[in-house]
């Protein structure tokens, strides 16, 4: 291992300097949770540090969840208005004059406004999680250099704390090892973690495409794009995962598992209108309402609909189907 920490030089060194407050905060979260685990009897070196990484994932997920909640609503809104967007696009298809382009843009903006949809709303959580992941990669990559005294301490990680962290092994693999520096057994463990990361991402995307896409919004171009994304990102994981410290892979896998669980919740509670998940939710809500009515001694939704239909029929039979003629107002005598 070289004595120069490359992430502290050039463009990356400048960028990570800007992210120092986030890096400092992450080291504090890991340190204090590790401190708590050692206070309850866990050894200072070992699983306590791995659990502190997982706890950091949970903290990050909790902090960005409000943004993900907005993302869900924004994505659902954009998918729901997809058929209307396609109508507008077809309306101006082949019209390249400035007036037509301006009119199409105006109609699209009105459609977004009327439906409270934000095309950029789904990007915000990614814009936030990206720097967070970069900081995690930086911190966990810097710790071995801090432990050897080749880099200044960072946040809660002084030389002694960094040495303690670097001695931690998980499944027989040092958390500071990468695929190239690990032994044979370590390579196997890292490969399993990379595969698990890819599997989580692939299944999350596949299940979302299958369950949360309205048939009316699908076209060949959208379907082709979704299939490309289904495979491109997991393949990128393979090449990037083998170059990262094992500690980063622990963070990454835990983060992907959290994302997968959140996607299940999203499909259950916030499905796209018209999608298979939305149809299941309608049936589930219908059955839950009937069970609630049964407990309260009220008629079911079907029985209530039948009662209303009978009442309407009785009203019509009494009043007749003829429309009541409006009475002419009498003129006031002057």
């Amino acid at each position: 291992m070289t004595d120069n920490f490359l992430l502290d030089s050039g463009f990356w060194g400048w960028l990570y300097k800007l992210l120092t407050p986030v890096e400092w905060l992450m080291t504090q979260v890991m340190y204090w949770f590790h401190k708590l685990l050692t206070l309850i009897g866990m050894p200072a070196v070992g699983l306590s540090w791995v659990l502190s990484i997982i706890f950091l994932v949970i903290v990050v997920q909790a902090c960005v969840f409000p943004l993900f909640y907005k993302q869900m609503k924004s994505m659902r809104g954009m998918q729901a208005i997809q058929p209307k967007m396609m109508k507008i696009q077809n309306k101006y298809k082949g019209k390249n004059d400035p007036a037509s382009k301006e009119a199409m843009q105006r109609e699209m903006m009105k459609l977004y406004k009327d439906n409270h949809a934000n095309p950029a709303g789904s990007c915000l959580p990614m814009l936030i999680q990206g720097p967070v992941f970069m900081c995690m990669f930086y911190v966990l990559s810097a710790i071995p250099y801090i432990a050897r005294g080749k880099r200044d301490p960072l946040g809660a990680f002084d030389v002694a704390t960094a040495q303690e962290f670097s001695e931690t092994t998980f499944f027989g693999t040092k958390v500071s090892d990468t695929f190239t520096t690990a032994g044979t057994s370590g390579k196997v463990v890292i490969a399993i973690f990379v595969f698990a990361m890819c599997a989580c991402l692939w299944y999350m995307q596949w299940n979302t495409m299958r369950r949360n896409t309205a048939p009316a919004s699908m076209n060949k171009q959208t379907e082709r794009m979704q299939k490309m994304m289904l495979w491109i990102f997991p393949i990128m994981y393979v090449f990037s995962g083998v170059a990262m410290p094992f500690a980063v892979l622990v963070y990454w896998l835990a983060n992907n598992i959290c994302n997968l669980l959140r996607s299940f919740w999203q499909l259950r509670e916030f499905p796209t209108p018209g999608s298979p998940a939305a149809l299941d939710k309608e049936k589930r809500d219908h059955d839950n309402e009937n069970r609630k009515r049964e407990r309260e001694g009220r008629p079911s939704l079907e029985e209530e609909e039948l009662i209303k239909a009978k009442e309407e029929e009785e009203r019509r039979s009494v009043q007749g189907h003829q429309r009541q003629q409006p009475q002419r107002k009498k003129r006031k005598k002057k």
Side-chain angles (χ1 to χ4, degrees):
M1 183 184 289
T2 178
D3 288 339
N4 296 322
F5 187 43
L6 298 179
L7 292 180
D8 276 343
S9 59
F11 169 77
W12 295 112
W14 172 82
L15 179 61
Y16 281 117
K17 275 289 183 187
L18 295 178
L19 297 173
T20 298
V22 180
E23 297 157 8
W24 181 90
L25 184 60
M26 295 175 84
T27 63
Q28 296 294 335
V29 171
M30 291 174 59
Y31 175 80
W32 286 107
F33 186 72
H34 173 262
K35 201 78 173 174
L36 175 64
L37 292 175
T38 56
L39 286 175
I40 61 176
M42 291 190 70
V45 177
L47 186 61
S48 55
W49 277 117
V50 175
L51 291 178
S52 70
I53 295 173
I54 296 173
F55 179 75
L56 178 61
V57 174
I58 296 172
V59 170
V60 171
Q61 288 279 342
C63 290
V64 300
F65 182 78
L67 296 173
F68 276 113
Y69 180 80
K70 290 184 179 180
Q71 178 195 26
M72 293 173 197
K73 297 184 71 174
S74 178
M75 288 179 63
R76 185 178 67 173
M78 289 297 297
Q79 290 171 341
I81 65 174
Q82 189 73 22
K84 295 181 180 178
M85 290 171 60
M86 292 174 62
K87 285 183 179 179
I88 295 175
Q89 291 169 352
N90 291 333
K91 178 181 175 182
Y92 293 97
K93 189 176 182 180
K95 298 179 181 180
N96 298 319
D97 57 288
S100 297
K101 290 182 178 180
E102 184 180 347
M104 185 179 75
Q105 186 71 16
R106 188 166 55 248
E107 288 188 32
M108 293 288 276
M109 294 304 294
K110 186 177 185 302
L111 181 65
Y112 296 148
K113 183 178 180 181
D114 292 345
N115 292 273
H116 305 288
N118 182 7
S122 60
C123 301
L124 186 58
M126 289 295 292
L127 292 176
I128 292 177
Q129 265 208 322
V132 169
F133 180 79
M134 288 173 61
C135 290
M136 191 65 194
F137 173 63
Y138 178 86
V139 168
L140 296 177
S141 299
I143 289 174
Y145 290 86
I146 298 172
R148 292 186 291 115
K150 301 301 180 180
R151 192 202 181 281
D152 293 336
L154 176 61
F157 280 85
D158 54 18
V159 175
T161 306
Q163 288 175 347
E164 189 179 85
F165 180 90
S166 298
E167 292 172 5
T168 294
T169 59
F170 189 49
F171 290 116
T173 307
K174 276 194 172 185
V175 292
S176 57
D177 277 346
T178 64
F179 186 82
T180 54
T181 61
T184 304
S185 60
K187 282 181 169 61
V188 172
V189 172
I190 289 174
I192 291 173
F193 267 68
V194 172
F195 174 80
M197 286 159 42
C198 295
C200 279
L201 179 63
W202 185 90
Y203 182 79
M204 182 178 70
Q205 293 184 136
W206 175 78
N207 192 49
T208 300
M209 287 168 50
R210 181 177 65 95
R211 303 278 301 137
N212 204 37
T213 303
S217 66
M218 287 297 293
N219 55 54
K220 289 184 178 180
Q221 184 178 0
T222 304
E223 188 175 359
R224 194 180 306 116
M225 185 66 69
Q226 287 184 344
K227 286 182 178 179
M228 285 177 60
M229 292 178 63
L230 184 63
W231 293 103
I232 287 175
F233 286 108
I235 291 173
M236 289 173 59
Y237 269 23
V238 173
F239 291 100
S240 57
V242 296
M244 294 187 177
F246 184 47
V248 177
L249 300 184
V250 172
Y251 176 90
W252 208 344
L253 178 58
N255 191 63
N256 280 10
I257 292 173
C258 288
N259 289 341
L260 178 61
L261 294 175
R262 193 188 63 246
S263 73
F264 290 149
W265 176 79
Q266 176 188 353
L267 292 177
R268 180 178 174 83
E269 300 299 331
F270 293 95
T272 301
S275 65
L279 297 178
D280 288 347
K281 186 177 188 303
E282 288 178 10
K283 184 179 183 304
R284 189 167 58 249
D285 291 345
H286 180 276
D287 294 342
N288 290 338
E289 177 65 20
N290 277 344
R291 281 193 288 269
K292 179 182 176 183
R293 287 167 175 256
E294 185 180 359
R295 289 194 301 268
E296 296 174 352
R298 294 190 293 149
S300 66
L301 291 170
E302 291 80 5
E303 292 170 343
E304 187 178 83
E305 194 69 28
L306 184 60
I307 292 170
K308 287 181 180 179
K310 288 181 178 179
E311 290 176 350
E312 179 66 17
E313 185 65 28
E314 290 175 0
R315 184 188 66 78
R316 287 185 178 184
S317 63
V318 173
Q319 296 182 358
H321 297 283
Q322 187 175 0
R323 181 175 175 269
Q324 186 176 0
Q325 298 296 326
Q327 297 180 353
R328 183 176 297 177
K329 292 183 180 180
K330 295 181 181 180
R331 293 185 179 179
K332 293 182 180 180
K333 294 182 179 180
K334 294 183 180 179

